[in-house]
Amino acid sequence: MPEGITAEGLLDNIMEQFADNVPKQKSVSFFEEDKSDSVSSQFNRLFGRQKTIHNIFGGGKSADVLLWRNKKISVGVLASATAIWILFEWLNYNFLSLVCFGLGLGMLAQFVWSNASGLMSRSQSRVPRLVLPQELFVNIATSVGHEVNKALGFLQDVAVGGNMKLFLGAVSSLWFAAIISSWCNFLTLVYIGFVAAHTFPVIYEKYDDQIDDFVYNALDHLRNNYKKLDTGVRSRIPKGQFKGKKHE
């Protein structure tokens, strides 16, 4: 550690930079809207956000689903994810058994279709072939590989970028994710993230002013408490003069 820099000073510097980079927002009550600042508040969102939530999520069909633009589709997607989680987590199905049951039901349906049509009519109807396009698997593999490489590149940039605040935030997030993953399995963790992605954005879009004001007040409160704690700890440390020996 360079001379003249202490651990308290480094932490104080990180908190000061974080607080200075967060734009200030005028306090707004949870039950009253400040109409005079309605125009300026649109450009002073959480952490300097200037885009709408819909544009942040890409502005496409996926954003429409996450923000419940079409409630039938959003409910269907969330219900499908819940059904899959119940099958694997509560009913203790595994992926292979579920695939075998699905294939067995599909074969049974085709068997009944082909034989019933032959009994009812002299000309047996042809069962349609189910063929999945190869481009589907190629696109899935390409998309997954692109996202994985993007995440790895981001972590590498954070590690070698020299931004201490961003580095500490990324390491803390990974540490927090490791603790959460130790409490539940991977499927439950993915399901929790899926439900959170389908609930938090639409709640924030509906109550963004109140949430922004609450976060800013919480950050200010945290900063003030940290300064009081830091001042109290430093005041109890006895100040002395240390005279070092001169080396010839």
Side-chain angles (χ1 to χ4, degrees):
M1 183 176 294
E3 184 179 0
I5 299 179
T6 61
E8 293 83 0
L10 179 60
L11 184 59
D12 190 17
N13 189 18
I14 294 173
M15 291 294 294
E16 290 291 340
Q17 289 181 1
F18 178 77
D20 292 338
N21 290 331
V22 175
K24 301 294 183 181
Q25 183 178 3
K26 187 176 180 180
S27 179
V28 180
S29 175
F30 282 90
F31 303 99
E32 296 178 1
E33 293 183 358
D34 190 0
K35 297 181 179 180
S36 61
D37 293 337
S38 60
V39 177
S40 61
S41 62
Q42 296 178 359
F43 301 95
N44 193 15
R45 299 300 186 183
L46 189 61
F47 300 109
R49 175 178 62 86
Q50 296 183 359
K51 294 182 179 180
T52 61
I53 302 298
H54 191 266
N55 291 332
I56 291 177
F57 283 102
K61 294 182 178 180
S62 59
D64 295 338
V65 174
L66 292 176
L67 297 177
W68 295 70
R69 293 291 191 267
N70 191 331
K71 294 184 178 180
K72 293 183 179 179
I73 297 178
S74 299
V75 170
V77 171
L78 192 58
S80 301
T82 304
I84 293 174
W85 180 74
I86 291 175
L87 285 175
F88 287 104
E89 189 65 21
W90 283 8
L91 302 181
N92 293 326
Y93 279 95
N94 55 50
F95 181 74
L96 183 59
S97 62
L98 193 62
V99 170
C100 292
F101 277 120
L103 292 176
L105 291 176
M107 293 179 63
L108 180 62
Q110 290 184 348
F111 177 79
V112 172
W113 187 348
S114 61
N115 288 276
S117 62
L119 293 176
M120 294 179 181
S121 60
R122 295 184 179 181
S123 61
Q124 186 176 5
S125 63
R126 184 177 180 181
V127 179
R129 292 288 182 177
L130 178 62
V131 179
L132 297 178
Q134 296 182 357
E135 292 79 7
L136 175 64
F137 301 98
V138 174
N139 293 333
I140 293 175
T142 303
S143 300
V144 172
H146 176 71
E147 295 299 330
V148 170
N149 290 328
K150 186 178 179 180
L152 292 176
F154 173 76
L155 294 178
Q156 289 177 341
D157 293 339
V158 171
V160 301
N163 191 337
M164 182 61 66
K165 182 180 67 175
L166 189 59
F167 175 76
L168 292 177
V171 173
S172 301
S173 300
L174 292 176
W175 177 74
F176 182 74
I179 294 178
I180 296 298
S181 62
S182 64
W183 296 344
C184 54
N185 55 26
F186 180 74
L187 180 62
T188 302
L189 188 64
V190 171
Y191 177 71
I192 293 174
F194 190 85
V195 173
H198 282 75
T199 53
F200 291 163
V202 65
I203 293 175
Y204 179 73
E205 186 184 36
K206 188 175 182 180
Y207 303 102
D208 54 351
D209 292 332
Q210 293 87 343
I211 295 175
D212 289 347
D213 185 72
F214 175 78
V215 171
Y216 284 121
N217 291 333
L219 289 176
D220 291 337
H221 186 67
L222 179 63
R223 182 184 179 186
N224 294 332
N225 288 337
Y226 170 76
K227 286 185 176 181
K228 293 179 181 178
L229 178 63
D230 185 61
T231 304
V233 171
R234 288 186 179 182
S235 62
R236 295 181 181 180
I237 298 177
K239 297 182 180 180
Q241 295 181 356
F242 298 93
K243 295 182 179 179
K245 295 182 180 181
K246 296 182 178 180
H247 296 279
E248 294 181 356

